[in-house]
Amino acid sequence: MVSEKDTGYRKNFSLIVTFIVLISVVFILSLFLAFNYSKKNIENEFVSAKANVLEESIKPYNDFFFNKLPEISYYNGFLDSATASKFVDTILLQYPFVSKVVFYDTEVRNIKYEENGMNLGHFSIGIKGVYQFGSLVPKDSVKLFTESEGRNYAEAEDFNALAVKLINFVQKLDTAKVPSQDQLFSNFTNIRSNKIDYFNIPSPEQLKTYKRMVSEKLDSQPVYQQDLLSFQLDPSKIKIRNTRPLLYQNIRIEPITYDPLDASSEYVTGEIALPGAFSEFKLYFISSRSFVKKEIFSYFLPIAALLLLFYGVLVLVAFLIYRNLNINHKMFKLQYDFLTNLTHEFKTPVSVIKIAGNNIKSAPSISEREQKLYGKILDEEADKLNGLMNKLLAFTQIENKAITLNRDEINMAEFIESTIDVHCLKHPDFDFTYELDGFKTFVTDPVLLGSLFDNLAENAYKYSPVNHKKLHISARLIKDRVVFRFKDAGIGIPSSEINNIFKKFYRIQNRYNQNGSVGLGLAFCKELVNFMGGEITVKSVVDKGTEFKIVLPYNNEL
């Protein structure tokens, strides 16, 4: 056996090992960094995603404030208790956080003094009636005050606060300019904790008239209707829309001063203030760390899967490189052994021929007996050389499909018997038997079939111990297939070598295979069987024997 050092071939696997160790370290480091990145990203999202929850949860309030409230101005102050009740019903139904609405039916007059109202010069605004609406308001408590009752209405804080803003706005109004919508909205709206008061906004011409009414008494003595609605809000009725249920375990509305006493390191918390009339309240977010960790892992696992896939690809590349190195090493050894054995196979008969030739040339005279002996030696060694060259040539031709399959009809009994005669003559101690069943003739290529029989017979003799050199050939016709079985009583083939014996240049290492084999016999047989359109299999038990099974198509028509 030739060592790796002797052949000059080097398999340097240290680079592959270093490569695998390096990518493994990088893979582990990447997993660590990816987990930290996922953890940091989720922690940042815990902070930043609060704004989105607030935005989604407060959408109904924003719709109410920016879209529903301005609808009051569409009535131009001509709401009464009935129409106000219907308008409020739509609000209560659409916006559950509105708990109660107080409606002030007010009137602007050009007089010096208004008993139930506010006065500035000849500008007076007074209350004609007050009504309250809500799901918890009893029907007999809807009306709170009417002007016809002839008494002052003392509980008018909402009206008083907004009336003062209105009077101040009218007093400072520059009639040469048109007020902006923001100016109008801020002066006709009063936002307090859990309450919004809204006056309907007059037209620009009407505002100019209000301005004149402050300083003078107009001949037309105009009277204008102003409607004030005071909305009482309940922040607990805001529907919280948790847009990140896998991140926020619990969200609730708490006072802005709320500070939980049970806060611990086991929980992650956050808060964000509510806008507008709910500014004294906040959204309070709380999640257990184990709950947040699930979200971290849900973010991390796809990244880890991609890293694992990339790592697997790199390991596969390393494995393929290793496999190719290993295959190349084996091929190198096989080819080296093949060349060594082939050289030996050629050298032995050449040496014998040379020795015989020198003896003939140097001998002064040759007896008849010596002449026959040297002739036999020269003939046998020449046959060996010729057989070896023919086998190599035939193998190459079959692999390259350079020959054609002849089809001749042969008598199987005569064919097998002739094979037995040749090998028994060559090896007198060879116990060779056969049986034939189901057919007598077979259309095939006799040369190729003969090569097949000769190779298997030679193997059976060569790899059998003394007194066990036996071979039994059976030939049976089964359906449309001819099945040949070659069963010997030899040394057998280890199960680990079964898949290798048909490979070119492969030799099983044993005491029978040290010399005289180039590893082509069974590979040649397999190529022959494949070329003939059949298949070959083997069963073997170590120290018991081996059986080769060959199946060829049976077509007895020329």
Side-chain angles (χ1 to χ4, degrees):
M1 174 58 65
V2 181
S3 68
E4 293 180 10
K5 183 175 181 180
D6 294 334
T7 64
Y9 184 85
R10 295 291 185 271
K11 286 198 307 178
N12 188 4
F13 297 117
S14 61
L15 183 60
I16 297 176
V17 173
T18 303
F19 176 71
I20 292 177
V21 170
L22 179 61
I23 64 173
S24 298
V25 171
V26 172
F27 173 65
I28 294 171
L29 181 62
S30 299
L31 288 178
F32 176 76
L33 293 176
F35 181 80
N36 282 343
Y37 169 77
S38 301
K39 183 173 180 292
K40 191 69 177 177
N41 188 70
I42 294 302
E43 289 175 351
N44 290 339
E45 282 195 16
F46 192 94
V47 176
S48 61
K50 295 183 297 184
N52 185 255
V53 175
L54 174 63
E55 182 182 351
E56 291 298 318
S57 300
I58 213 70
K59 268 184 178 180
Y61 170 78
N62 289 335
D63 179 67
F64 165 74
F65 188 79
F66 293 109
N67 298 320
K68 199 66 179 178
L69 281 183
E71 288 185 13
I72 298 173
S73 297
Y74 299 160
Y75 293 94
N76 295 316
F78 289 101
L79 283 173
D80 56 20
S81 60
T83 54
S85 175
K86 292 179 181 179
F87 177 73
V88 170
D89 285 343
T90 63
I91 291 177
L92 296 175
L93 184 63
Q94 190 173 355
Y95 306 102
F97 52 83
V98 179
S99 59
K100 189 173 76 169
V101 180
V102 178
F103 167 57
Y104 295 84
D105 187 8
T106 68
E107 195 173 63
V108 174
R109 299 177 184 177
N110 189 207
I111 59 175
K112 270 283 187 180
Y113 177 75
E114 176 64 52
E115 183 181 0
N116 293 312
M118 304 288 290
N119 302 276
L120 178 64
H122 294 278
F123 178 86
S124 299
I125 180 169
I127 302 174
K128 294 195 299 179
V130 181
Y131 305 87
Q132 61 178 352
F133 307 100
S135 58
L136 300 179
V137 176
K139 291 184 179 181
D140 58 354
S141 299
V142 171
K143 185 175 66 173
L144 297 176
F145 165 79
T146 59
E147 190 178 27
S148 60
E149 294 178 353
R151 63 179 178 82
N152 291 332
Y153 181 64
E155 299 177 8
E157 294 180 5
D158 304 331
F159 168 78
N160 293 335
L162 203 51
V164 169
K165 289 184 70 173
L166 174 60
I167 289 173
N168 289 334
F169 174 73
V170 170
Q171 187 177 14
K172 297 176 182 179
L173 179 65
D174 184 358
T175 57
K177 298 180 181 178
V178 178
S180 67
Q181 290 297 318
D182 288 340
Q183 288 177 319
L184 293 172
F185 200 81
S186 61
N187 283 281
F188 285 80
T189 307
N190 191 25
I191 302 174
R192 293 173 289 168
S193 177
N194 300 332
K195 184 178 285 189
I196 298 176
D197 304 325
Y198 186 86
F199 253 143
N200 71 281
I201 300 175
S203 66
E205 292 301 322
Q206 191 172 330
L207 287 174
K208 291 179 181 179
T209 304
Y210 285 179
K211 179 71 174 181
R212 291 174 59 200
M213 290 168 65
V214 173
S215 59
E216 59 182 294
K217 185 174 177 63
L218 304 179
D219 294 335
S220 58
Q221 296 185 347
V223 176
Y224 294 98
Q225 304 299 318
Q226 284 288 147
D227 294 327
L228 168 63
L229 278 82
S230 179
F231 300 89
Q232 295 185 16
L233 310 179
D234 183 357
S236 66
K237 296 296 180 62
I238 294 176
K239 185 178 180 181
I240 298 173
R241 297 180 181 178
N242 188 354
T243 56
R244 293 296 303 274
L246 299 179
L247 184 61
Y248 300 122
Q249 191 173 13
N250 181 263
I251 306 174
R252 57 181 187 261
I253 295 175
E254 298 288 352
I256 200 76
T257 55
Y258 174 75
D259 187 15
L261 298 176
D262 58 345
S264 67
S265 59
E266 296 181 3
Y267 294 93
V268 182
T269 61
E271 58 187 49
I272 187 170
L274 292 170
F278 301 124
S279 58
E280 293 187 3
F281 292 84
K282 63 185 179 182
L283 287 180
Y284 183 74
F285 302 79
I286 183 168
S287 298
S288 65
R289 293 196 177 274
S290 60
F291 186 83
V292 175
K293 190 174 289 186
K294 290 180 183 178
E295 182 68 0
I296 293 174
F297 274 103
S298 69
Y299 190 92
F300 165 71
L301 289 178
I303 301 175
L306 288 175
L307 291 174
L308 182 61
L309 178 63
F310 184 68
Y311 174 75
V313 170
L314 293 179
V315 171
L316 179 62
V317 169
F319 170 75
L320 292 176
I321 294 173
Y322 168 80
R323 189 187 68 170
N324 288 339
L325 282 174
N326 200 35
I327 291 173
N328 290 337
H329 172 65
K330 289 181 179 178
M331 289 300 297
F332 181 86
K333 290 176 64 179
L334 288 173
Q335 292 175 12
Y336 188 89
D337 290 346
F338 167 71
L339 291 175
T340 302
N341 293 324
L342 188 63
T343 302
H344 176 79
E345 287 294 298
F346 274 107
K347 187 175 181 180
T348 300
V350 168
S351 299
V352 172
I353 291 172
K354 186 173 180 62
I355 292 170
N358 287 334
N359 287 344
I360 293 173
K361 183 173 70 173
S362 62
S365 62
I366 300 176
S367 65
E368 183 179 351
R369 178 175 171 278
E370 290 176 330
Q371 183 180 4
K372 289 182 179 180
L373 176 62
Y374 286 131
K376 181 181 179 183
I377 292 173
L378 292 172
D379 187 57
E380 288 179 350
E381 298 305 319
D383 285 343
K384 286 182 181 179
L385 287 174
N386 187 57
L388 185 58
M389 288 186 293
N390 287 338
K391 183 180 289 185
L392 289 171
L393 180 61
F395 199 109
T396 304
Q397 289 176 331
I398 290 173
E399 278 191 321
N400 296 318
K401 303 293 188 292
I403 62 174
T404 57
L405 184 66
N406 296 321
R407 297 181 59 78
D408 296 327
E409 186 176 50
I410 60 173
N411 185 293
M412 280 308 304
E414 294 177 359
F415 180 85
I416 298 175
E417 287 173 0
S418 66
T419 302
I420 292 175
D421 292 341
V422 170
H423 286 278
C424 286
L425 181 63
K426 191 175 181 180
H427 309 294
D429 58 338
F430 201 1
D431 185 4
F432 211 136
T433 58
Y434 81 95
E435 61 176 305
L436 184 64
D437 183 24
F439 70 113
K440 294 181 179 181
T441 61
F442 182 32
V443 175
T444 187
D445 189 318
V447 176
L448 298 184
L449 189 63
S451 298
L452 195 60
F453 273 56
D454 289 340
N455 273 280
L456 293 176
E458 282 295 332
N459 271 5
Y461 183 83
K462 181 178 180 179
Y463 296 107
S464 295
V466 179
N467 300 326
H468 285 83
K469 296 186 180 295
K470 301 177 182 179
L471 178 64
H472 179 74
I473 299 178
S474 67
R476 289 187 171 86
L477 180 62
I478 301 176
K479 294 183 179 180
D480 58 346
R481 295 284 187 273
V482 175
V483 180
F484 296 101
R485 297 180 186 271
F486 295 77
K487 187 173 184 180
D488 62 43
I491 61 173
I493 303 170
S495 58
S496 60
E497 302 283 1
I498 290 292
N499 293 330
N500 298 320
I501 60 173
F502 293 112
K503 296 178 180 178
K504 285 188 296 184
F505 313 131
Y506 188 84
R507 298 190 310 154
I508 300 174
Q509 301 304 315
N510 55 52
R511 68 180 185 275
Y512 294 90
N513 215 6
Q514 298 302 312
N515 295 303
S517 173
V518 292
L520 282 177
L522 291 177
F524 182 58
C525 289
K526 184 173 180 62
E527 289 295 330
L528 281 175
V529 172
N530 290 341
F531 184 69
M532 297 169 73
E535 59 180 18
I536 182 171
T537 55
V538 60
K539 293 191 300 183
S540 185
V541 178
V542 176
D543 296 329
K544 296 292 183 179
T546 302
E547 179 181 271
F548 287 92
K549 176 183 174 183
I550 298 172
V551 180
L552 296 175
Y554 180 75
N555 186 352
N556 226 27
E557 296 180 2
L558 293 174

